[in-house]
């Protein structure tokens, strides 16, 4: 499976510019002939949280129509990062994932909200799991702060998922932790991790990308250059998952009677 990450800048509170920029990035990614294109977190609005009443996508309709049409037209799977969505009178940080036919195959609301960026003041927390198949491969997706909760990823990956997709707006001040956490999630779940981070500036943060594709042994096989927009691609040899899990069967050896 070939995956491509769209490592893009996100214009703070400028929805029209962000849809244009994302469309251009998706189009650019096609040059690599990927099976899957992955987007970063909150790409439609950025973290303009106090403007969500005006900016958030009502029921996610614009986002879903946009990504579905692109996936269907170009015969490509899309892990749609996440968008600010208004639903049921609340705001959500929501991921939408689509197959090659443009069918919505997964919808996930960010479970763990990041108080340091005041997300918990504006966004409602999700309470459901994330599980889907891409070209027959079991997968899961999480969003940014979620990766600091290994018990959550273990729960999601324990059903046999081979790929963990991560979408984020992870500031450069903590970028070393980003890499450490992602490599740990790959090793402990014996799965590929495909993690899309943004670049650019927001009012209170700077983002330098460092999007990563990591194999089940924790080795980095693709790394986004620091601070610039680009498409980060790699081929996932999924036999590595079976090899890792066969040598050290951590899922089988868990003590479910204790934890």
């Amino acid at each position: 499976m070939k995956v491509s990450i769209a490592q893009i800048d996100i214009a703070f509170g400028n929805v029209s510019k962000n849809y244009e920029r994302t469309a251009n990035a998706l189009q650019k990614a096609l040059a690599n002939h990927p099976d899957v294109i992955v987007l970063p977190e909150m790409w439609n609005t950025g973290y303009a949280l106090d403007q969500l009443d005006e900016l958030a996508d009502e029921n996610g309709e614009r986002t879903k129509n946009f990504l579905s049409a692109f996936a269907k037209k170009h015969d490509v799977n899309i892990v749609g990062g996440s968008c600010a969505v208004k639903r049921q009178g609340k705001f959500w940080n929501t991921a939408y994932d689509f197959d090659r036919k443009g069918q919505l195959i997964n919808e996930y609301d960010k479970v763990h909200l990041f108080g340091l960026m005041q997300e918990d003041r504006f966004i409602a927390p999700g309470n459901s799991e994330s599980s889907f198949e891409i070209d027959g491969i079991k997968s899961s997706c999480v969003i940014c702060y979620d990766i600091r909760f290994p018990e959550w990823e273990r729960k999601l990956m324990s059903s046999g998922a081979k790929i963990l997709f991560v979408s984020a707006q992870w500031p450069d001040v903590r970028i070393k932790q980003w890499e450490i956490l992602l490599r740990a999630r790959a090793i402990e779940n014996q799965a590929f991790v495909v993690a899309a981070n943004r670049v650019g500036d927001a009012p209170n943060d700077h983002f330098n990308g460092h999007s990563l594709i990591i194999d089940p042994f924790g080795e980095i096989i693709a790394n986004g250059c620091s601070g610039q927009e680009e498409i980060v691609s790699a081929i996932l040899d999924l036999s590595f998952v079976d090899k890792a899990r066969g040598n050290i069967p951590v899922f089988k050896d868990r003590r479910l009677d204790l934890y």
Side-chain angles (χ1 to χ4, degrees), residues 111-224:
V111 167
H112 302 95
L113 303 179
F114 192 46
L116 194 59
M117 293 175 70
Q118 298 187 328
E119 193 174 29
D120 55 336
R121 286 183 52 198
F122 298 92
I123 302 288
N127 56 15
S128 60
E129 296 186 13
S130 166
S131 181
F132 54 100
E133 290 191 6
I134 290 183
D135 292 347
I137 304 301
K138 287 187 176 181
S139 305
S140 183
C141 77
V142 294
I143 302 171
C144 203
Y145 189 42
D146 283 333
I147 67 170
R148 288 188 181 271
F149 301 87
E151 62 272 34
W152 181 234
E153 276 76 22
R154 175 54 58 87
K155 179 177 177 63
L156 295 175
M157 303 300 286
S158 63
S159 63
K162 295 185 175 183
I163 307 172
L164 176 66
F165 294 97
V166 181
S167 297
Q169 289 202 37
W170 196 283
D172 68 339
V173 70
R174 292 182 292 278
I175 204 66
K176 289 183 179 179
Q177 296 176 19
W178 161 257
E179 179 179 324
I180 292 168
L181 289 165
L182 290 171
R183 294 180 77 175
R185 298 299 84 81
I187 293 167
E188 68 200 12
N189 290 297
Q190 300 172 319
F192 283 96
V193 169
V194 181
N197 194 28
R198 66 164 290 189
V199 296
D201 293 299
N204 298 310
D205 294 290
H206 175 68
F207 303 89
N208 68 342
H210 197 36
S211 298
L212 292 168
I213 303 174
I214 304 168
D215 77 13
F217 299 98
E219 297 298 323
I220 295 172
I221 57 177
N223 187 350

Side-chain angles (χ1 to χ4, degrees), residues 27-66:
Q27 192 67 40
K28 185 177 180 180
L30 291 176
N32 295 317
H33 306 291
D35 298 296
V36 189
I37 305 175
V38 188
L39 297 174
E41 179 187 19
M42 292 279 276
W43 59 260
N44 65 332
T45 63
Y47 264 79
L49 299 179
D50 59 354
Q51 302 176 46
L52 290 183
D53 197 44
E54 299 175 2
L55 301 178
D57 188 2
E58 189 75 36
N59 294 315
E61 290 304 318
R62 181 177 182 182
T63 304
K64 288 185 283 188
N65 290 336
F66 167 64

